[in-house]
């Protein structure tokens, strides 16, 4: 890809709650492959939720959680997988959204623990913690894990693209836990605008797919706008009757991953050629082991070149 591109011009496949492979099937289980396999399959955006490491591993103070559920991997495990992948593929980039699993916008746990990784020589050249990565050329991001931050950091600290919640959604700054509508937000420094679709409590798959397709259509229609588009094609556990993330992804009526495949097929049949789709996050992107279906990931990647 052209070295002069920025991340706002890319089509990037990602996973939602990326570290949940080891969790038992049910409400908290959203991925059936580990981080290393996801990267090998073309995933380039990871959604990582962190909490204090209950095992108290020296030098590895944070573990990956889905809410209060431990994913049985540490943040060090995630960074090591990324480091190994980028060591072998130095022209690739991994974008990583890091959140506090507690959802507390003022908690210092993740920030405090993060300092251990920043001071570890194994990760110092791995992490890109620029506050304005969306304005950097791809040539400056290659070989890096680019941090998008939804956890607390003190004012004035440069620690990734700042999506820490800043007041209410109506202030237009920061990323609130907004699950009822697609919204625009701007980083506190005013340098980066984002368009975010994360309606994870929309348990009607038809309504959710409408939100997803509208967000993707908007991203494709205005590629030079400098806006970072994040679209989550995932639905949380609940509904009537209650369904798991896997069922919403693959097996309920109007399941999200087949619906996304149908959207892509129709869109590229009507409008062939490259399309800026932004970042597209999936649950169970590859279906179950033994029944692999990587078409959505391949299509998002291919949109950069079609």
């Amino acid at each position: 890809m052209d070295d002069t591109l920025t991340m706002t011009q890319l089509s990037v496949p990602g996973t939602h709650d990326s570290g949940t492979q080891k969790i038992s099937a049910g409400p908290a289980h959203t991925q059936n492959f580990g981080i290393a396999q996801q990267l090998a399959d073309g995933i380039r955006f990871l959604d990582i939720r962190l909490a204090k490491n209950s095992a108290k591993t020296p030098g590895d103070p944070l573990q990956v959680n889905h809410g209060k559920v431990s994913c049985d991997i540490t943040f060090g495990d995630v960074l090591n997988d990324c480091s190994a992948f980028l060591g072998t593929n130095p022209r690739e980039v991994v974008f990583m959204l890091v959140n506090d699993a507690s959802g507390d916008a003022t908690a210092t746990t993740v920030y405090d623990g993060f300092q251990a990784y920043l001071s570890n020589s194994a990760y110092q050249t791995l992490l890109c913690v620029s506050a304005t990565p969306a304005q950097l050329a791809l040539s400056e991001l290659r070989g890096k894990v680019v941090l998008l931050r939804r956890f607390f950091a003190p004012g004035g600290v440069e620690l990734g693209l700042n999506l820490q919640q800043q007041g209410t959604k109506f202030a237009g700054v920061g990323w609130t836990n907004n699950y009822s509508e697609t919204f625009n937000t701007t980083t506190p420094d005013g340098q980066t605008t984002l368009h975010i679709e994360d309606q994870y409590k929309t348990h009607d798959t038809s309504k959710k797919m409408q939100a997803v397709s509208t967000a993707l259509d908007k991203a494709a229609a205005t590629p030079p706008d400098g806006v970072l588009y994040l679209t989550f094609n995932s639905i949380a556990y609940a509904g009537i009757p209650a369904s798991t993330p896997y069922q919403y992804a693959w097996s309920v009526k109007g399941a999200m991953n087949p619906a996304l495949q149908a959207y892509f097929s129709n869109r590229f049949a009507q409008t062939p050629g490259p399309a800026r789709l932004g970042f597209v996050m999936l649950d169970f992107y590859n279906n179950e082991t033994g029944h692999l279906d990587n078409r959505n990931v391949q299509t998002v990647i291919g949109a950069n070149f079609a």
Side-chain angles (χ1 to χ4, degrees):
M1 298 184 70
D2 187 338
D3 269 344
T4 65
L5 292 171
T6 67
M7 61 189 289
T8 65
Q9 297 171 289
L10 305 178
S11 297
V12 178
T15 48
H16 158 254
D17 259 303
S18 306
T20 61
Q21 178 204 12
K22 295 182 179 181
I23 295 178
S24 299
H29 185 50
T30 62
Q31 302 300 330
N32 53 337
F33 293 97
I35 301 299
Q37 186 62 51
Q38 290 181 35
L39 296 173
D41 286 339
I43 297 299
R44 294 293 180 271
F45 181 99
L46 301 175
D47 173 20
I48 302 296
R49 321 290 176 93
L50 298 177
K52 186 175 181 179
N53 187 356
S54 57
K56 301 180 180 178
T57 307
D60 204 355
L62 298 173
Q63 67 183 33
V64 180
N65 271 29
H66 185 171
K68 295 182 180 180
V69 180
S70 170
C71 296
D72 197 27
I73 59 173
T74 69
F75 189 44
D77 293 331
V78 174
L79 292 178
N80 290 341
D81 283 343
C82 292
S83 180
F85 175 78
L86 292 170
T88 304
N89 303 277
R91 288 181 59 79
E92 293 291 333
V93 184
V94 177
F95 301 93
M96 186 182 295
L97 176 66
V98 178
N99 200 354
D100 188 318
S102 71
D104 186 343
T106 63
T108 64
T109 301
V110 176
Y111 174 77
D112 293 340
F114 213 88
Q115 306 313 304
Y117 304 97
L118 292 174
S119 62
N120 187 326
S121 59
Y123 309 130
Q124 285 174 345
T125 60
L126 177 68
L127 292 163
C128 172
V129 296
S130 167
T132 56
Q135 299 183 25
L136 298 178
L138 188 57
S139 60
E140 300 175 83
L141 303 180
R142 294 191 190 277
K144 302 288 187 182
V145 173
V146 178
L147 176 64
L148 291 75
R149 172 174 60 85
R150 287 189 71 188
F151 61 88
F152 166 85
V157 172
E158 184 172 28
L159 188 58
L161 185 72
N162 184 6
L163 298 174
Q164 177 188 346
Q165 182 174 329
Q166 309 283 328
T168 71
K169 65 182 179 182
F170 301 107
V173 179
W175 186 342
T176 63
N177 188 25
N178 187 350
Y179 50 77
S180 61
E181 61 184 7
T182 299
F183 62 99
N184 290 332
T185 188
T186 304
T187 52
D189 60 11
Q191 296 298 304
T192 306
T193 298
L194 300 96
H195 184 80
I196 299 172
E197 183 286 308
D198 188 23
Q199 297 182 36
Y200 61 90
K201 286 193 176 182
T202 302
H203 295 102
D204 181 325
T205 54
S206 178
K207 290 181 179 179
K208 172 66 175 181
M209 193 61 224
Q210 182 61 53
V212 169
S213 61
T214 298
L216 295 176
D217 285 344
K218 185 175 178 62
T222 55
D225 60 7
V227 175
L228 189 59
Y229 286 80
L230 304 181
T231 302
F232 286 80
N233 193 61
S234 53
I235 300 179
Y237 172 80
I240 302 173
S243 298
T244 64
Y246 176 80
Q247 290 168 326
Y248 278 120
W250 285 107
S251 66
V252 300
K253 181 180 180 181
M256 297 307 300
N257 288 345
L260 186 62
Q261 291 172 353
Y263 163 82
F264 284 145
S265 178
N266 182 63
R267 191 208 177 281
F268 286 105
Q270 293 186 4
T271 311
R276 188 277 302 266
L277 300 174
F279 293 74
V280 185
M281 277 60 73
L282 309 166
D283 277 349
F284 299 98
Y285 68 96
N286 224 349
N287 208 343
E288 293 282 29
T289 303
H291 302 280
L292 303 184
D293 187 339
N294 208 29
R295 281 180 289 170
N296 281 327
V297 172
Q298 292 168 346
T299 300
V300 175
I301 294 171
N304 293 290
F305 311 103

